[in-house]
Amino acid sequence: METLLLWLFYISTFYAFIPGIISRIFGYRVFRRGIGVKDFALTFDDGPDPQYTPKLLDLLNKYNAKATFFVVGSHAERYPELIRRMHAEGHLIGIHNYVHKSNWLMRPGTVCKQIQRTDDIIYGITGERSTYYRPPWGIVNLFDFSKRRHVKIVLWSAMFGDWRTNLGVDRLTEKMLARLNPGEVMLLHDCGLTLGADPEAPEQMLAALERTLEEAKVRGLNSIRVDEMIKAAEKSSLARMSFSKRLLVGLWLLWERCFHFLFRLRTVSPALPFLHYRLRAYQGHSVSLDDGTTLSKGDQVIELHIDNHQLFELGMQSRSAAQLAIRMIRRMDKDMPYLAEIIAGDDALSEAKALYGISMINRGPEKFGFTVKDMPKGLFASLTKFYLSILLSVIHPAGGARLKERSEALVPKIIVMPVSQLLDSYGQKCTGAKLHRRQAAGPEHEEDMAEAELPGAHAH
């Protein structure tokens, strides 16, 4: 009996658990997120539903938004007029199995039959085959990867728990707005009949979605179909990465999440994160500040960190080092006044002596009032240089070639600024500003800007 249980454990681990972890963390053979600067994707699972799907289609039509529906085959078979309407109104129709059952609980042949049967139903209604597939609950098994030539597995980058009514419209709206970013693939549900869901939950989803679409309109963001987002992503540098580099990026971004959790970083602009910070006691050597004071061990500092995910995306979207630097400078320029506003409104932060960070390649921070200082030689400096060298090779448009060209310049530096100087420089600019408005601005055309060096990747 123990041997049988052990074999079942091994089989379930290799059949389901490990493939699920690989796809979720590293995005192996699945699509989870796009790279657009103005587009995001709304995706809806479990429908169609005769009560809520027509309301959803009306709402999408009102805001000229296109979406992707991963339909349950048995529901599509029951309500063909809704599938016909989705197709006629320009939405993408994907497969969500014939019945809403986990792939972990089905043999590979059964999963294939579920997909084929649903595809046949969609084809019989619309005259078009579906090549996009989302397994129920996003759970993949080992053999799902082998079906890649026949269907494209689509997961998501943002999930909100909209299948439960206890969340409430306001909280759901808040969660959706916090993830209303370019490239996001949002998971929502237009049917509440799935096991574990509340039947009335889609009503709350529709109310929160309307608020979200209204805000997207203000920010100039558009909801597009997943196939359009995939085509854009396939043209990017990311799609041409080797698996080893994709693995490195996945590990790096996983470390980003762990670091944020462990050290409780806060974000200047949560809806479009770029600059993070935390209050801590300074532990380094004494540093002279521009205001004549000295930063000493034990003094409170506001430690700054640039968001690794945003840094990676900016690197992938940039055609040159100069363009990457310009985009980083512009993002930093938008966040600095709001950082000053946050500090001014927080007694603990305003009592800190200085802003502090570690930077690599150091033309740029002076623009914002930072002073660049050499790091004392030692183990920390060596480890920091090693980490930032890997970081730069990942996000820099020239990749590892940049390290060979300018290896002597890749020296980590301290960037530091008295908090009083930040408040004096930016305090008047941000008085009375509405924080959410900063999220409306998107990347501008950078080609007409003068060339600049990469201002630095801050160490985690």
Side-chain angles (χ1 to χ4, degrees):
M1 184 64 179
E2 290 181 1
T3 303
L4 177 60
L5 291 175
L6 189 60
W7 272 107
L8 288 174
F9 172 76
Y10 287 147
I11 292 171
S12 63
T13 298
F14 286 98
Y15 180 69
F17 183 72
I18 291 178
I21 292 296
I22 292 173
S23 64
R24 183 69 60 191
I25 295 178
F26 304 118
Y28 180 66
R29 292 200 170 184
V30 301
F31 180 78
R32 298 180 304 167
R33 198 179 196 284
I35 60 168
V37 296
K38 285 290 185 182
D39 302 321
F40 66 100
L42 290 171
T43 67
F44 300 91
D45 288 6
D46 299 359
D49 180 273
Q51 180 178 356
Y52 298 114
T53 303
K55 295 179 182 179
L56 173 57
L57 290 169
D58 290 343
L59 182 60
L60 294 172
N61 185 59
K62 176 182 176 181
Y63 288 92
N64 194 30
K66 300 304 178 185
T68 301
F69 291 85
F70 291 98
V71 300
V72 175
S74 58
H75 295 177
E77 194 172 43
R78 195 174 303 125
Y79 308 110
E81 69 282 359
L82 293 178
I83 300 298
R84 201 171 292 114
R85 181 181 170 187
M86 290 175 191
H87 182 257
E89 294 181 3
H91 303 291
L92 180 65
I93 302 173
I95 299 166
H96 201 48
N97 283 356
Y98 181 76
V99 294
H100 199 285
K101 186 177 181 181
S102 172
N103 287 8
W104 285 7
L105 303 177
M106 293 188 288
R107 293 174 298 175
T110 304
V111 174
C112 288
K113 289 178 181 178
Q114 292 264 327
I115 294 172
Q116 186 61 53
R117 186 174 181 181
T118 304
D119 184 31
D120 289 342
I121 291 168
I122 295 170
Y123 177 75
I125 298 170
T126 67
E128 291 186 9
R129 292 287 180 186
S130 179
T131 57
Y132 298 92
Y133 173 57
R134 175 175 286 165
W137 293 289
I139 295 174
V140 299
N141 63 43
L142 183 62
F143 293 93
D144 284 329
F145 293 150
S146 68
K147 296 191 287 289
R148 192 185 184 192
R149 292 184 179 180
H150 306 288
V151 292
K152 177 69 176 179
I153 300 175
V154 179
L155 299 183
W156 58 84
S157 62
M159 179 172 62
F160 311 103
D162 65 303
W163 57 87
R164 301 303 300 271
T165 55
N166 60 3
L167 192 62
V169 175
D170 292 341
R171 177 59 180 150
L172 178 57
T173 303
E174 181 183 335
K175 292 179 70 173
M176 291 176 66
L177 291 179
R179 298 301 296 273
L180 182 59
N181 305 318
E184 296 283 3
V185 177
M186 296 185 174
L187 167 62
L188 296 165
H189 300 80
D190 59 327
C191 180
L193 300 180
T194 303
L195 180 66
D198 294 329
E200 301 82 15
E203 194 70 52
Q204 292 189 357
M205 181 277 292
L206 291 169
L209 178 61
E210 181 158 20
R211 298 179 188 178
T212 302
L213 288 172
E214 191 64 39
E215 179 63 18
K217 183 179 178 181
V218 171
R219 298 186 195 177
L221 298 175
N222 306 303
S223 175
I224 63 172
R225 295 165 30 146
V226 158
D227 57 342
E228 295 173 357
M229 187 172 280
I230 290 175
K231 288 176 184 177
E234 287 175 345
K235 294 178 182 179
S236 72
S237 300
L238 179 61
R240 295 191 294 271
M241 275 186 179
S242 65
F243 176 70
S244 60
K245 190 162 186 179
R246 289 171 66 91
L247 183 64
L248 176 61
V249 172
L251 290 171
W252 174 52
L253 296 179
L254 180 61
W255 163 241
E256 163 99 349
R257 294 183 185 179
C258 294
F259 185 89
H260 280 228
F261 175 78
L262 290 173
F263 295 98
R264 299 181 180 180
L265 295 191
R266 290 183 277 176
T267 306
V268 173
S269 179
L272 191 59
F274 181 73
L275 195 61
H276 306 282
Y277 64 95
R278 63 169 176 151
L279 183 67
R280 73 170 183 90
Y282 179 66
Q283 298 297 322
H285 293 74
S286 296
V287 177
S288 298
L289 304 180
D290 286 350
D291 62 357
T293 62
T294 300
L295 179 62
S296 303
K297 186 175 181 178
D299 289 338
Q300 292 293 300
V301 294
I302 300 170
E303 187 178 76
L304 301 179
H305 299 269
I306 289 176
D307 186 89
N308 281 348
H309 196 280
Q310 290 292 321
L311 192 60
F312 174 72
E313 288 195 352
L314 289 176
M316 289 297 98
Q317 294 166 12
S318 301
R319 294 187 299 273
S320 66
Q323 191 177 61
L324 172 58
I326 292 164
R327 284 177 165 171
M328 290 182 66
I329 288 171
R330 288 189 169 184
R331 291 293 302 274
M332 191 82 170
D333 200 32
K334 289 175 183 177
D335 268 8
M336 289 298 283
Y338 297 101
L339 176 61
E341 182 178 8
I342 291 169
I343 293 172
D346 187 303
D347 291 340
L349 293 175
S350 59
E351 290 296 321
K353 181 169 282 188
L355 299 176
Y356 166 86
I358 306 296
S359 179
M360 181 84 80
I361 308 180
N362 311 111
R363 281 172 53 187
E366 297 94 336
K367 167 183 171 59
F368 305 103
F370 288 99
T371 299
V372 179
K373 303 279 188 179
D374 290 330
M375 288 185 68
K377 293 182 179 180
L379 180 62
F380 179 72
S382 299
L383 291 175
T384 301
K385 179 178 179 179
F386 175 73
Y387 170 79
L388 290 178
S389 297
I390 295 175
L391 171 59
L392 193 63
S393 71
V394 172
I395 60 97
H396 200 283
R402 176 65 169 173
L403 304 181
K404 297 176 183 178
E405 292 173 6
R406 296 287 303 280
S407 60
E408 75 285 351
L410 301 180
V411 179
K413 303 271 188 178
I414 294 172
I415 61 168
V416 64
M417 180 202 306
V419 168
S420 58
Q421 181 178 327
L422 174 78
L423 296 178
D424 289 343
S425 299
Y426 292 97
Q428 295 300 318
K429 296 180 183 179
C430 63
T431 301
K434 300 296 184 183
L435 288 179
H436 73 277
R437 290 300 177 194
R438 91 188 79 137
Q439 301 148 7
E444 302 85 12
H445 294 288
E446 294 92 351
E447 287 72 16
D448 58 342
M449 295 287 289
E451 287 212 351
E453 282 284 358
L454 178 66
H458 293 229
H460 281 184

